[in-house]
Amino acid sequence: MTDESRGIGGTVGPPWSVDVLADLHAGVLDDTETTRLWPLVNADPEARAILDALDATQADLATLADAPAPPMPAEFAARLDAALAAEAAAAFPKPRTAPEQAGPGDAQVVDLAAARRRRNKRLGWAAGVLTAAAAAVIAVTIAIPGTSQQTGTPNVAAPPPSGPSVGSDGSGAQALIGKAVGVRDFGPLQTEDKLDACIAAAGLDPKVRPEGIRPVNVGGKAGVMIILTTGKLAQFRLVAFGADCGPGNPAVLFDKVVGEK
């Protein structure tokens, strides 16, 4: 992404370079630069409009993963139906009628034992098909996550990750500070009480209120990130908890300090 009409001459500030805003939004700037730029960007309505457009684009791209698969083209569906019909006809040939089996004046003697053997063979083949089909249904049921053959409590699937993506070590999380300060979105934890239990399990003081709370996608795992002050200017402590955290299980996904050292 390039824009030579804004930020000419290396000036970092209004008018903003779209390249600078895109790098800030993507979290590729270093911690010091990120912490310095976010307050300036948030104070500029034009810069915020560009960042909002980037957020909307990111959200639109994320929905593509959940879009339904398109239907099979009619041409291929017809060819598949024809192939299945041919296989069925070969496996179960239609019996000929009496006039087809014998011409005028012809007498056919049917071996009753042979007829029974043919019938039993076909019945056995059909039973094998039904058994295989039942086995396939059971295999599919076992393979689908979240299904259970037990009558007890069904398996609870892990919540899908939401929010912006950061690295498993928290890389890129510093870029979220500007838009997360003042936010209280508990994401998969849902309530403040559940978050307090995670904070206590991690050895932190639940009485210290985070400056911001928001859901994050930590390397493909659903998490909730909190922003804590450190007592130093422009320095923050970022801690992310997994969706399964709770009493005795802090499930800390990352814990890092960013900003001025």
Side-chain angles (χ1 to χ4, degrees):
M1 178 183 300
T2 59
D3 184 356
E4 298 180 355
S5 66
R6 300 176 61 81
I8 299 176
T11 302
V12 178
W16 291 92
S17 165
V18 176
D19 284 344
V20 170
L21 294 177
D23 290 343
L24 182 64
H25 182 271
V28 298
L29 301 180
D30 59 59
D31 294 351
T32 301
E33 192 72 2
T34 296
T35 305
R36 183 175 71 88
L37 291 181
W38 268 119
L40 300 175
V41 169
N42 285 330
D44 187 337
E46 188 173 355
R48 285 301 320 168
I50 295 175
L51 291 176
D52 290 342
L54 291 173
D55 283 338
T57 301
Q58 189 178 55
D60 289 341
L61 292 176
T63 60
L64 294 179
D66 300 325
M72 179 183 294
E75 175 187 356
F76 297 110
R79 290 170 59 183
L80 180 60
D81 289 342
L84 292 175
E87 289 294 327
F92 298 100
K94 183 178 179 181
R96 293 183 297 174
T97 60
E100 293 174 337
Q101 293 175 349
D106 292 339
Q108 299 239 344
V109 178
V110 178
D111 186 336
L112 183 59
R116 286 176 175 172
R117 284 195 299 270
R118 288 195 300 270
R119 182 198 63 187
N120 291 339
K121 182 178 180 180
R122 289 180 179 176
L123 289 176
W125 187 88
V129 171
L130 292 176
T131 301
V137 171
I138 294 174
V140 170
T141 303
I142 294 175
I144 296 176
T147 60
S148 175
Q149 296 298 313
Q150 300 177 355
T151 58
T153 303
N155 296 333
V156 178
S162 61
S165 298
V166 299
S168 299
D169 59 351
S171 57
Q174 68 275 8
L176 308 177
I177 295 176
K179 293 185 288 186
V181 171
V183 175
R184 302 188 67 79
D185 184 349
F186 301 101
L189 296 181
Q190 299 181 343
T191 66
E192 188 172 15
D193 288 341
K194 291 183 179 180
L195 176 61
D196 287 345
C198 301
I199 292 175
L204 303 175
D205 187 357
K207 296 181 181 179
V208 178
R209 295 292 84 189
E211 296 298 313
I213 305 166
R214 69 170 301 166
V216 286
N217 179 346
V218 185
K221 296 180 180 179
V224 176
M225 183 184 77
I226 63 172
I227 302 174
L228 302 172
T229 57
T230 64
K232 294 183 179 180
L233 181 63
Q235 186 183 83
F236 300 94
R237 182 178 181 182
L238 309 180
V239 185
F241 301 97
D244 58 340
C245 69
N249 178 32
V252 174
L253 301 178
F254 64 79
D255 184 347
K256 62 183 300 184
V257 176
V258 299
E260 298 293 340
K261 303 299 183 183

